Amino acid sequence: LEYYCRGILALRQQHVEGAPSGPIPLVIMTSDDTHEQTVALLEESDFFGLSREQVHVLKQEKVACLSDSDARLARDPKDPAKIETKPHGHGDVHALLHTSGLARRFQSEGRRWIVFFQDTNGLFFRAFLATLGVSAVKGFAMNSVAVPRKAKDAMGGIAK
C-alpha cells in the first residue's frame, strides 16, 4: 500500500494540462478477509501521506463457491451444512463504484480516466502512464496490460 500511495503522491506533484485539480483518489477493494486489516494499516500509517478523503475502501461481497466444472456448490469445510463462500472477485469493483456513488462523483469532478490494477503486479505502476497515454491518443474506451505468468503464480492474469 505504501508503494502505491507514494506513487500517487509523486503523480500529483506533476502538473498535467486539463487534469482535474485536487488529489488523485485511490480506491481499494477488500473482502471480509482483508477489510479490517487494510483499514487498520491505512489508519496506523496515516494513509501513507494521502489524505483520508482521497482513499476509499470498498468491501466486496461473498458469493457461493463452485466445487467443480459441473457447477456443484462447495460445502464449507468447517461446517458441511453450509455453502462455502468466497469474495465475489475483480468484476465486483464496477458495481461497488456505482453503488458507493464514487463513479458519479468522479464523473462530476471531471475525471475522464480510471486505472484498475491488481496488488499482485506492482510493476504495472511503472508502465501505466504510457498505457493511459496510448489510450487517450488512440481514443480507446478500454485498454489492458498483461504480464507473462506461470500456472499457480501468485499474481493475477486475464490472458495467455
Side-chain angles (χ1 to χ4, degrees):
L1 277 177
E2 181 177 6
Y3 175 75
Y4 304 124
C5 292
R6 291 192 186 280
I8 289 170
L9 287 168
L11 284 171
R12 189 69 265 173
Q13 292 175 352
Q14 299 177 20
H15 173 73
V16 177
E17 189 175 326
S21 62
I24 298 169
L26 173 64
V27 181
I28 303 168
M29 186 171 72
T30 61
S31 66
D32 283 337
D33 299 330
T34 61
H35 187 79
E36 288 180 17
Q37 300 95 320
T38 301
V39 170
L41 177 62
L42 286 164
E43 290 174 349
E44 291 165 8
S45 305
D46 199 25
F47 295 84
F48 298 104
L50 299 179
S51 70
R52 178 181 292 266
E53 295 76 29
Q54 80 187 97
V55 179
H56 310 275
V57 183
L58 306 176
K59 185 171 76 167
Q60 62 184 308
E61 297 299 321
K62 286 191 169 185
V63 294
C65 291
L66 302 178
S67 64
D68 56 35
S69 59
D70 290 326
R72 291 183 185 93
L73 293 175
R75 297 178 190 265
D76 186 326
K78 296 176 187 167
D79 183 354
K82 292 183 180 177
I83 294 172
E84 186 174 9
T85 60
K86 299 276 185 187
H88 191 257
H90 299 305
D92 210 24
V93 71
H94 306 287
L96 289 170
L97 286 169
H98 174 71
T99 58
S100 69
L102 285 174
R104 187 171 305 281
R105 175 178 162 187
F106 294 162
Q107 185 179 30
S108 72
E109 292 173 348
R111 299 185 188 282
R112 296 178 41 220
W113 306 98
I114 188 165
V115 175
F116 296 98
F117 64 94
Q118 293 177 281
D119 62 352
T120 54
N121 187 3
L123 290 177
F124 176 70
F125 237 66
R126 298 227 180 247
F128 88 92
L129 284 178
T131 305
L132 190 56
V134 167
S135 300
V137 168
K138 298 286 187 180
F140 293 163
M142 184 180 129
N143 198 354
S144 293
V145 173
V147 296
R149 65 183 286 264
K150 296 177 185 166
K152 310 245 183 210
D153 273 352
M155 65 184 331
I158 62 170
K160 181 177 178 182

